[in-house]
């Protein structure tokens, strides 16, 4: 194949960046990773994502793509080996629906729990638990959401759950445990047995330290 | 034999996105109106147990929910008269803008959904977002899809056909032609497309519906503040 330049602008503590990295690794795509300091964004990032000014941004042959789920769809369409989305259109629609639910509802409601206090936190926790229950019911005991191999929903859900596990320890709020969400909890262990995910996740202690500093700074 | 059903609500721009896509592709479908405020049908509750809302597309009995997900499904199942670009990077940009619309919807609709300080804040932010949409999303193109309409145009269709009715219902103007000339040009062009012109809800009915809903929201807002 002709020389393809693939760059990923990211931040090590962002689960959205990790989702894209896992997709690139599953496809065996060679890429250059550029760590961004979000307090001090590079002019390159601002040039490539002038609207959101966020990471991840994928640069392929000089053309930028932003938004993690959009990037993953692009990756899946551009590099055909090891499909991440199902081939069947109906199954694809289901995968998109669940990935969207995780992205739009689950992740934000979980962050609201960790960022809020007292009464607000109680309400936020209730909402987060409702959303997680929906996910738990859908996952059942399947090893992978859609089929025989890891796909989009697996990546998004497992990475979310990994982040939540660290965040909840730091916040001292128990959200996911083996009692209340046995399937989701099992998925965390399962994640660590999947090489591509395991090697892409930041170490838990490093992430925990980051959350601690972050929450102190926002007080 | 393919059976396509669409569960919808007469005033919903999300439902209209799907209608426009189906009609653009000449797909025959049966439309089923849902009584959202009083009693949702068993079919809806079975087909979309997670969100319990419209639109839901049923293709040979299999349900698909979430308007943007349905649009992508329609595009894949009926690839003629394409609504997404062929080029992968351009497709990614189209998806990006559709996501932008979804993510920013609470702010863009804040003028209608909220009151007082929060409403003022939303209006200010929404005006900025519309400027971004105009500059980066639309650019110099006639439509978001380029020379022809596409999924992104459908996704922002509410700005063309619903916004000014809601603005009148609320008594707040979000989008001035002077400050958003290109967007207003797009609105005019979009409304002229025969498919769109022939398929929008009745304006008077919408106005009275949104006025009523706004009053109901105001009452809830006031009572929640009083407690």
């Amino acid at each position: 194949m002709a020389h393809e330049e693939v760059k990923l602008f990211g931040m090590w503590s962002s689960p959205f960046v990790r989702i894209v990295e896992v997709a690139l690794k599953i496809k065996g795509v060679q890429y250059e990773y550029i760590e961004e300091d979000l307090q001090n964004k590079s002019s390159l990032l601002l040039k490539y994502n002038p609207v959101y000014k966020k990471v991840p941004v994928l640069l392929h042959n000089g053309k930028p793509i932003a938004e993690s789920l959009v990037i993953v769809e692009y990756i899946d369409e551009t590099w055909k080996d090891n499909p991440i989305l199902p081939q069947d259109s109906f199954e694809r629609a289901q995968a998109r629906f669940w990935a969207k639910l995780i992205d739009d509802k689950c992740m934000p409601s979980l962050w609201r729990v960790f960022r809020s206090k007292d009464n607000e936190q109680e309400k936020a926790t209730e909402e987060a638990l409702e959303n997680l229950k929906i996910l738990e019911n859908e996952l059942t005991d399947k090893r992978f959401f859609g089929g025989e191999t890891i796909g989009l929903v697996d990546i998004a859900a497992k990475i979310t759950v990994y982040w939540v596990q660290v965040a909840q320890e730091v916040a001292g709020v128990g959200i996911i445990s083996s009692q209340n969400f046995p399937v989701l909890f099992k998925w965390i262990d399962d994640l660590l047995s999947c090489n591509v995910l395991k090697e892409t996740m930041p170490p838990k202690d490093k992430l925990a330290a980051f959350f601690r500093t972050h929450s102190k700074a926002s007080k | 034999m393919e059976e396509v059903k669409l569960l919808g609500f007469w005033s919903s721009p999300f439902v209209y996105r799907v209608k426009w896509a189906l009609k653009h592709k000449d797909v025959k479908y049966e439309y089923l109106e849902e009584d959202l405020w009083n009693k949702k049908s068993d079919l809806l509750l079975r087909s979309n147990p997670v969100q319990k809302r419209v639109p839901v597309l049923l293709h040979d009995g299999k349900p698909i929910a979430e308007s943007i997900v349905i649009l992508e499904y329609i595009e894949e199942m009926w690839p003629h008269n394409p609504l997404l670009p062929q080029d992968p990077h351009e497709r990614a940009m189209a998806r990006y803008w559709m996501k932008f619309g979804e993510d920013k919807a609470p702010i863009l609709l804040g003028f209608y959904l909220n009151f007082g300080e929060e409403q003022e804040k939303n209006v200010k932010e929404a005006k900025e977002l519309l400027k971004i949409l105009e500059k980066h999303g639309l650019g110099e193109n006639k439509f978001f899809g380029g020379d022809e309409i596409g999924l992104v145009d459908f996704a922002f269709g509410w700005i063309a056909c619903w916004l000014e009715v809601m603005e009148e219902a609320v008594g707040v103007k979000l989008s001035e032609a002077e400050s958003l000339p290109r967007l207003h040009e797009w609105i005019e062009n979009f409304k002229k497309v025969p498919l769109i012109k022939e398929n929008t809800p009745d304006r008077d009915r919408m106005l009275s519906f949104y006025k009523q809903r706004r009053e109901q929201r105001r009452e809830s807002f006031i009572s929640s503040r009083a407690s």
Side-chain angles (χ1 to χ4, degrees):
Chain A
M1 201 162 205
H3 169 71
E4 292 188 79
E5 201 194 47
V6 183
K7 290 191 203 230
L8 176 63
F9 291 85
M11 215 206 135
W12 70 269
S13 62
S14 159
F16 304 101
V17 171
R18 296 284 89 76
I19 287 171
V20 173
E21 274 210 293
V22 168
L24 287 167
K25 288 188 180 180
I26 287 172
K27 299 283 188 175
V29 176
Q30 300 301 313
Y31 65 97
E32 184 194 342
Y33 177 79
I34 297 155
E35 179 73 17
E36 281 289 326
D37 173 5
L38 291 183
Q39 309 300 342
N40 194 10
K41 290 167 191 171
S42 72
S43 53
L44 221 55
L45 177 65
L46 295 173
K47 173 182 166 195
Y48 289 124
N49 192 5
V51 175
Y52 277 121
K53 305 181 179 60
K54 295 196 302 210
V55 289
V57 174
L58 188 82
L59 207 62
H60 183 210
N61 293 331
K63 295 195 208 166
I65 301 127
E67 277 302 309
S68 58
L69 294 183
V70 174
I71 299 172
V72 173
E73 291 243 21
Y74 177 84
I75 290 169
D76 204 43
E77 278 179 16
T78 307
W79 292 279
K80 306 283 187 191
D81 289 341
N82 304 331
I84 292 172
L85 278 146
Q87 305 291 71
D88 172 72
S89 292
F90 180 72
E91 300 298 323
R92 280 165 90 84
Q94 299 312 304
R96 284 180 176 131
F97 177 87
W98 287 101
K100 191 172 194 287
L101 197 82
I102 292 166
D103 199 52
D104 288 354
K105 285 189 91 177
C106 296
M107 283 256 218
S109 67
L110 286 161
W111 289 161
R112 273 197 286 278
V113 174
F114 303 129
R115 283 183 181 145
S116 57
K117 289 192 172 18
D118 311 317
N119 281 350
E120 261 184 43
Q121 195 182 57
E122 225 179 277
K123 192 163 168 266
T125 305
E126 222 180 276
E127 203 193 317
L129 289 173
E130 261 174 54
N131 289 332
L132 287 175
K133 198 94 200 87
I134 292 171
L135 199 57
E136 171 92 2
N137 288 340
E138 190 62 26
L139 294 175
T140 67
D141 268 329
K142 296 184 273 207
R143 175 143 195 251
F144 298 113
F145 179 80
E148 304 304 307
T149 54
I150 193 167
L152 176 63
V153 180
D154 303 287
I155 299 170
K158 287 179 181 181
I159 291 178
T160 303
V161 159
Y162 183 91
W163 249 255
V164 169
Q165 204 188 30
V166 179
Q168 72 182 9
E169 264 177 54
V170 170
V173 181
I175 301 281
I176 298 176
S177 72
S178 57
Q179 278 101 36
N180 64 353
F181 294 108
V183 178
L184 285 176
F185 193 81
K186 191 166 158 288
W187 269 39
I188 302 170
D189 291 339
D190 226 31
L191 180 154
L192 296 174
S193 72
C194 173
N195 285 333
V196 120
L197 283 169
K198 185 178 172 183
E199 72 191 33
T200 319
M201 298 301 110
K204 283 189 175 175
D205 50 3
K206 190 179 178 194
L207 197 57
F210 174 81
F211 285 145
R212 274 185 206 108
T213 332
H214 221 66
S215 63
K216 276 193 194 121
S218 62
K219 280 198 181 112
Chain B
M1 229 288 270
E2 281 191 346
E3 200 196 43
V4 181
K5 290 190 185 173
L6 173 61
L7 307 183
F9 186 67
W10 70 273
S11 70
S12 162
F14 303 98
V15 172
Y16 269 86
R17 291 171 179 172
V18 176
K19 275 191 184 178
W20 291 331
L22 289 168
K23 285 182 193 274
H24 180 85
K25 306 270 187 177
D26 270 316
V27 176
K28 299 274 166 288
Y29 66 97
E30 186 192 345
Y31 176 77
L32 297 163
E33 177 75 10
E34 283 289 327
D35 186 1
L36 292 181
W37 307 118
N38 296 318
K39 192 175 187 295
K40 293 176 183 174
S41 73
D42 287 333
L43 183 59
L44 175 61
L45 297 174
R46 268 199 326 268
S47 306
N48 187 4
V50 175
Q51 312 266 45
K52 302 184 179 63
R53 61 187 190 195
V54 294
V56 176
L57 190 80
L58 286 145
H59 188 198
D60 290 335
K62 295 199 280 195
I64 301 122
E66 277 301 316
S67 60
I68 302 290
V69 175
I70 298 173
L71 291 178
E72 294 256 20
Y73 178 82
I74 291 172
E75 178 68 3
E76 278 174 29
M77 285 308 302
W78 295 281
H80 59 280
N81 299 344
L83 289 165
L84 275 176
Q86 299 303 320
D87 172 70
H89 183 257
E90 282 177 38
R91 286 162 85 86
M93 289 315 299
R95 289 183 174 130
Y96 176 91
W97 288 108
M98 287 199 281
K99 189 161 202 305
F100 179 88
E102 297 282 277
D103 288 350
K104 304 302 183 188
I107 299 170
L108 291 167
L109 292 169
F111 78 98
Y112 166 77
L113 296 170
N114 299 323
F115 297 86
E117 250 178 62
E118 209 187 336
Q119 185 205 39
E120 276 170 39
K121 207 173 125 221
N122 288 156
V123 169
K124 195 159 171 264
E125 219 184 316
K127 287 181 177 175
E128 293 299 318
L129 291 173
L130 289 175
K131 281 212 165 70
I132 289 174
L133 182 65
E134 186 189 56
K135 181 176 178 195
H136 295 279
L138 188 60
E140 298 302 311
N141 291 334
K142 183 177 184 196
F143 295 111
F144 287 96
D147 293 326
E148 308 285 335
I149 53 171
L151 290 190
V152 184
D153 298 276
F154 291 166
F156 287 113
W158 71 271
I159 292 179
C161 309
W162 274 254
L163 180 57
E164 59 92 13
V165 183
M166 294 169 88
E167 282 172 333
E168 190 181 326
V170 176
V172 163
K173 204 115 178 63
L174 206 66
S175 160
E176 305 279 2
E178 304 87 60
S179 48
L180 294 160
R182 296 248 45 249
L183 193 64
H184 274 257
E185 219 180 298
W186 169 78
I187 290 173
E188 292 314 307
N189 287 329
F190 184 76
K191 291 201 300 194
K192 281 192 195 129
V193 174
L195 167 70
I196 306 300
K197 196 167 168 195
E198 288 153 27
N199 294 287
T200 37
D202 178 69
R203 194 191 183 277
D204 290 336
R205 194 180 173 198
M206 275 207 280
L207 184 59
S208 119
F209 174 74
Y210 286 124
K211 276 184 171 161
Q212 189 187 45
R213 286 290 300 140
R214 177 76 179 162
E215 271 322 296
Q216 282 165 354
R217 295 194 98 91
R218 186 191 306 280
E219 280 161 29
S220 305
F221 174 72
I222 290 170
S223 58
S224 69
R225 287 275 287 251
S227 53

